[in-house]
Amino acid sequence: MSSPTVLLLGAMDTKGAEYGFVRDRLQDSGVDTLIVDFGVQGEAQIAVDVDSGAVAKAGGSDLNDLVAASDRGAAMTVMSRGATAIVRGLVESGQVQGALALGGTGGTSVAAAAFRNLPLGFPRLIVSTAASGNTEQYIGETDLILAPSVVDVAGLNRISMRIFSNAAAAMAGMVRAPALPERESRPLVAASMFGVTTPSVTRARARLEELGYEVLVFHMTGAGGRAMESLIRQGYIDGVLDITTTELPDNLVGGVFSAGPDRLTAAAETGTPQVVSTGALDMVNFGSRETVPQRFSQRNLYIHNSSVTLMRTTTEESEAIGAELARKVAASTGPTVVVLPLGGVSAIAVPGGPFYDSAADAALFGAIRTGLEGSAVELVESQLDINDPELAVFFADRLHALIGPRSTRSSTTPLGK
């Protein structure tokens, strides 16, 4: 059996010693390497398999022209485009089974752009000076791994060698790991959940599993919503139980858990069957109490825990949120049901709860009704609150009916290696 091959992507004109060390550690572990150079500052310091000229060409330019222009930003844009194309080709052709890179912010940006587009589950790791703080720009909604370099990627020393050695060992372990055993083929359902809708999603998930589905639950913290939308667009998902749409108010009002303007659009655009509800649309999320913007200091705030503060949506905000939900769902090209839980949209928005607000709920529901008029979307209204077990089972059973005989697609969709 041939050894797995790991792609090493980086600027070999300035990081040759570091990549040479990682190459040797991988080879000591019985792993072959394939080195791709995107450096533009001089000759590669180690032997490479794909040189920077080829990367520049794949990016639509000539390396000599890039060097002559002396514009590092423009050069990195070209090299990023070229590296992305080359890496994708190597992975799709089966020539490499993993991808590893080292770098500062510039090198991380190029490598992350190339690695983000690889299939879910494909082993990919970047040792980076930027692997702390806000890493969303590098990782996006993927399973790319960022490992802190601790010291700069600038030379070999007792700290960097330990970090690089660990990274090589981790990559070797990933590419040499036995393939996962084949599981019984079950259609995939994506479900959106938040703390205040957990009882409903938990019961609905159990019911869907009884019906023969595998359920992927996503935490609606911005990244969770983007990940779910991405998997729907990639064709992994057979049905969507999107009963927790709380990222919409965060995007509208300015909370910390926004999933961006594309939230609640993937299933509509792809025709994926979906059941949508209004879970946690009563709230906007912030960090600890002291992080809540001053302009909201007099609003109805609820301390969910030491790291999360919730703010009740107003009547005006609720109306706008309902209109946005209806607009996005009304564009659905596949079977869609919207369920309004008139008894309460979250665990704390039921009568007697700290976020109970009948006027805001009425504005939310009214805007959804108006927005769905004339559409093909089925609208169901229930007097129950969203966490009622009976309603949870209804969510699951209704989605099952929508999916029907379509529920075989995901069984043939590979997840990584």
Side-chain angles (χ1 to χ4, degrees), residues 338-365:
V338 172
V339 181
L340 304 184
L342 304 181
V345 300
S346 82
I348 61 174
V350 294
F355 274 9
Y356 178 68
D357 186 332
S358 58
D361 285 351
L364 173 70
F365 298 142

Side-chain angles (χ1 to χ4, degrees), residues 21 39 122 147 226 267 282 307 324 402:
F21 177 82
F122 185 87
R226 288 190 298 273
D282 57 318
S307 301
E324 181 181 13
L402 294 183

Side-chain angles (χ1 to χ4, degrees), residues 267-354:
E269 293 170 2
T270 59
T272 306
Q274 60 177 337
V275 171
V276 178
S277 191
T278 57
L281 290 185
D282 57 318
M283 60 188 61
V284 179
N285 296 271
F286 297 102
S288 57
R289 176 62 181 84
E290 61 271 16
T291 69
V292 178
Q294 181 61 33
R295 67 183 183 278
F296 297 135
S297 61
Q298 301 305 310
R299 293 279 294 271
N300 182 4
L301 302 175
Y302 180 81
I303 309 299
H304 183 65
N305 58 48
S306 61
S307 301
V308 177
T309 304
L310 311 177
M311 181 177 76
R312 196 6 165 144
T313 46
T314 65
T315 299
E316 295 74 21
E317 290 165 353
S318 296
E319 183 177 8
I321 293 162
E324 181 181 13
L325 183 149
R327 176 180 61 81
K328 290 180 172 180
V329 173
S332 297
T333 58
T336 301
V337 174
V338 172
V339 181
L340 304 184
L342 304 181
V345 300
S346 82
I348 61 174
V350 294

Side-chain angles (χ1 to χ4, degrees), residues 254-270:
V256 298
F257 288 159
S258 169
D262 293 332
R263 179 69 175 91
L264 204 64
T265 61
E269 293 170 2
T270 59

Side-chain angles (χ1 to χ4, degrees), residues 108-258:
T108 299
S109 295
V110 174
F115 292 179
R116 276 198 305 270
N117 294 316
L118 299 180
L120 178 69
F122 185 87
R124 46 198 159 156
L125 185 156
I126 303 174
V127 178
S128 171
T129 60
S132 61
N134 185 2
T135 59
E136 179 182 332
Q137 62 180 311
Y138 303 112
I139 297 174
E141 63 279 353
T142 73
D143 61 340
L144 169 63
I145 301 170
L146 287 186
S149 63
V150 183
V151 295
D152 201 353
V153 183
L156 297 173
N157 54 65
R158 69 182 68 183
I159 301 298
S160 65
M161 286 191 291
R162 171 47 58 192
I163 300 297
F164 299 158
S165 181
N166 286 345
M171 181 54 62
M174 285 190 278
V175 298
R176 294 181 67 85
L180 289 171
E182 292 293 330
R183 298 185 61 180
E184 180 184 353
S185 177
R186 292 183 291 166
L188 282 175
V189 164
S192 56
M193 189 170 80
F194 213 45
V196 292
T197 62
T198 295
S200 181
V201 178
T202 300
R203 180 66 188 95
R205 184 192 70 198
R207 174 58 178 162
L208 285 165
E209 289 172 347
E210 290 173 3
L211 293 169
Y213 296 93
E214 184 173 2
V215 182
L216 311 179
V217 178
F218 295 85
H219 195 194
M220 295 295 100
T221 57
R226 288 190 298 273
M228 185 175 78
E229 298 282 323
S230 176
L231 289 180
I232 295 169
R233 281 199 168 84
Q234 292 178 63
Y236 288 110
I237 305 301
D238 294 288
V240 185
L241 190 71
D242 202 355
I243 66 173
T244 310
T245 44
T246 188
E247 290 156 319
L248 296 182
D250 276 55
N251 189 59
L252 176 72
V253 182
V256 298
F257 288 159
S258 169

Side-chain angles (χ1 to χ4, degrees), residues 22-171:
V22 170
R23 174 202 60 202
D24 293 344
R25 297 298 293 178
L26 285 166
Q27 291 176 354
D28 288 345
S29 298
V31 175
D32 294 331
T33 58
L34 190 156
I35 300 178
V36 177
D37 177 22
F38 61 71
V40 294
Q41 299 184 44
E43 295 293 325
Q45 298 169 351
I46 60 174
V48 303
D49 299 286
V50 179
D51 63 27
S52 54
V55 175
K57 183 177 180 180
S61 186
D62 179 82
L63 180 62
N64 292 327
D65 293 340
L66 295 177
V67 173
S70 297
D71 186 336
R72 187 172 186 274
M76 285 299 97
T77 298
V78 171
M79 300 308 271
S80 178
R81 189 164 57 240
T84 298
I86 287 173
V87 170
R88 184 189 305 117
L90 290 169
V91 171
E92 290 178 350
S93 64
Q95 295 181 65
V96 296
Q97 288 71 51
L100 190 153
L102 320 168
T105 55
T108 299
S109 295
V110 174
F115 292 179
R116 276 198 305 270
N117 294 316
L118 299 180
L120 178 69
F122 185 87
R124 46 198 159 156
L125 185 156
I126 303 174
V127 178
S128 171
T129 60
S132 61
N134 185 2
T135 59
E136 179 182 332
Q137 62 180 311
Y138 303 112
I139 297 174
E141 63 279 353
T142 73
D143 61 340
L144 169 63
I145 301 170
L146 287 186
S149 63
V150 183
V151 295
D152 201 353
V153 183
L156 297 173
N157 54 65
R158 69 182 68 183
I159 301 298
S160 65
M161 286 191 291
R162 171 47 58 192
I163 300 297
F164 299 158
S165 181
N166 286 345
M171 181 54 62

